[in-house]
Amino acid sequence: KAGVTQTPRYLIKTRGQQVTLSCSPISGHRSVSWYQQTPGQGLQFLFEYFSETQRNKGNFPGRFSGRQFSNSRSEMNVSTLELGDSALYLCASSLRQLNTEAFFGQGTRLTVV
Amino acid sequence: GDSVTQMEGPVTLSEEAFLTINCTYTATGYPSLFWYVQYPGEGLQLLLKATKADDKGSNKGFEATYRKETTSFHLEKGSVQVSDSAVYFCALKNPAQGGSEKLVFGKGTKLTVNP
């Protein structure tokens, strides 16, 4: 069974640009969550999608957005990139059932220069 | 809101030493508790979980017991190996949050095991 796949693995962008990251969940998993990992702030929840609807959102500015497609694949977008957006972005998929765990992808390393 | 506090380390041990990484949480209701591990350049891997009070999660020689009276979920291993060197994260998921899959993480503890 394939795991969670995130593409691309690495990205370098310039301040002011926008970026789109992709996540394909484990087959059968309909919930996809996104996290930002930085040395200073640790792991912070961005948002969760289930059945193409955003179910929960973390405390991030509106420049961070996402969506989910009918096949459960998800994308997140960051517009007007800032240096502070440099981070490892992790995607997790789950069954969205009580007492179940989330499975993480390897992440996308975004560097903003 | 919900929160997780874990010892940040770094922790350096010799091979075959005993490991404890402390984790305490604050949450309403009955959260599920998890330990995830992150190896360099990788995402997070689930190490173990516990979903109710007094549950013990175990995997690969690691153990943690869900203690509701002390709101703790300390990670232990009797004899660490060099291959256990990684960053360990304690996390909770709270069903009281409307069924959300949101995980709340501690800051992580970097473990280095020397031969």
Side-chain angles (χ1 to χ4, degrees):
Chain A
K1 196 173 187 179
V4 179
T5 304
Q6 290 189 246
T7 56
R9 288 291 309 276
Y10 302 93
L11 269 177
I12 300 176
K13 291 287 187 179
T14 304
R15 269 182 304 174
Q17 288 187 312
Q18 74 165 12
V19 67
T20 299
L21 313 181
S22 179
C23 173
S24 293
I26 291 171
S27 178
H29 286 192
R30 294 167 59 201
S31 173
V32 174
S33 299
W34 289 89
Y35 295 83
Q36 181 195 65
Q37 185 178 23
T38 60
Q41 298 299 316
L43 282 152
Q44 293 187 285
F45 172 78
L46 280 157
F47 26 64
E48 179 207 352
Y49 285 86
F50 178 75
S51 293
E52 303 177 64
T53 302
Q54 189 180 88
R55 302 292 176 156
N56 200 354
K57 188 178 191 312
N59 188 25
F60 279 82
R63 299 185 298 106
F64 292 81
S65 63
R67 60 177 174 168
Q68 187 179 36
F69 301 95
S70 58
N71 62 357
S72 296
R73 190 177 70 85
S74 176
E75 291 181 345
M76 67 163 281
N77 184 278
V78 188
S79 62
T80 319
L81 284 165
E82 301 177 359
L83 294 178
D85 297 332
S86 294
L88 180 67
Y89 290 88
L90 292 164
C91 166
S93 80
S94 65
L95 289 169
R96 209 173 198 266
Q97 295 174 359
L98 195 62
N99 300 333
T100 58
E101 61 268 28
F103 296 86
F104 284 79
Q106 291 187 298
T108 294
R109 171 72 64 184
L110 171 65
T111 302
V112 182
V113 297
Chain B
D2 298 343
S3 65
V4 174
T5 302
Q6 65 177 104
M7 56 187 284
E8 293 189 25
V11 174
T12 302
L13 296 173
S14 298
E15 209 165 22
E16 299 184 5
F18 184 86
L19 168 71
T20 299
I21 302 177
N22 289 338
C23 171
T24 57
Y25 68 90
T26 301
T28 56
Y30 300 90
S32 294
L33 301 174
F34 306 87
W35 277 100
Y36 281 89
V37 59
Q38 186 175 37
Y39 298 99
E42 300 293 322
L44 301 178
Q45 297 177 24
L46 178 69
L47 184 58
L48 52 84
K49 72 175 185 181
T51 58
K52 61 182 188 296
D54 300 324
D55 262 3
K56 177 186 282 189
S58 61
N59 185 27
K60 301 180 182 179
F62 291 90
E63 293 183 340
T65 301
Y66 189 140
R67 301 286 189 200
K68 188 149 181 70
E69 64 275 13
T70 54
T71 61
S72 65
F73 193 53
H74 305 321
L75 182 68
E76 296 182 336
K77 187 175 185 182
S79 176
V80 294
Q81 306 300 312
V82 172
S83 57
D84 294 328
S85 298
V87 181
Y88 293 81
F89 293 92
C90 184
L92 69 80
K93 183 174 74 169
N94 194 346
Q97 297 293 324
S100 170
E101 289 294 284
K102 174 184 175 181
L103 286 165
V104 176
F105 287 91
K107 292 288 190 184
T109 301
K110 183 176 181 180
L111 170 66
T112 301
V113 180
N114 295 318

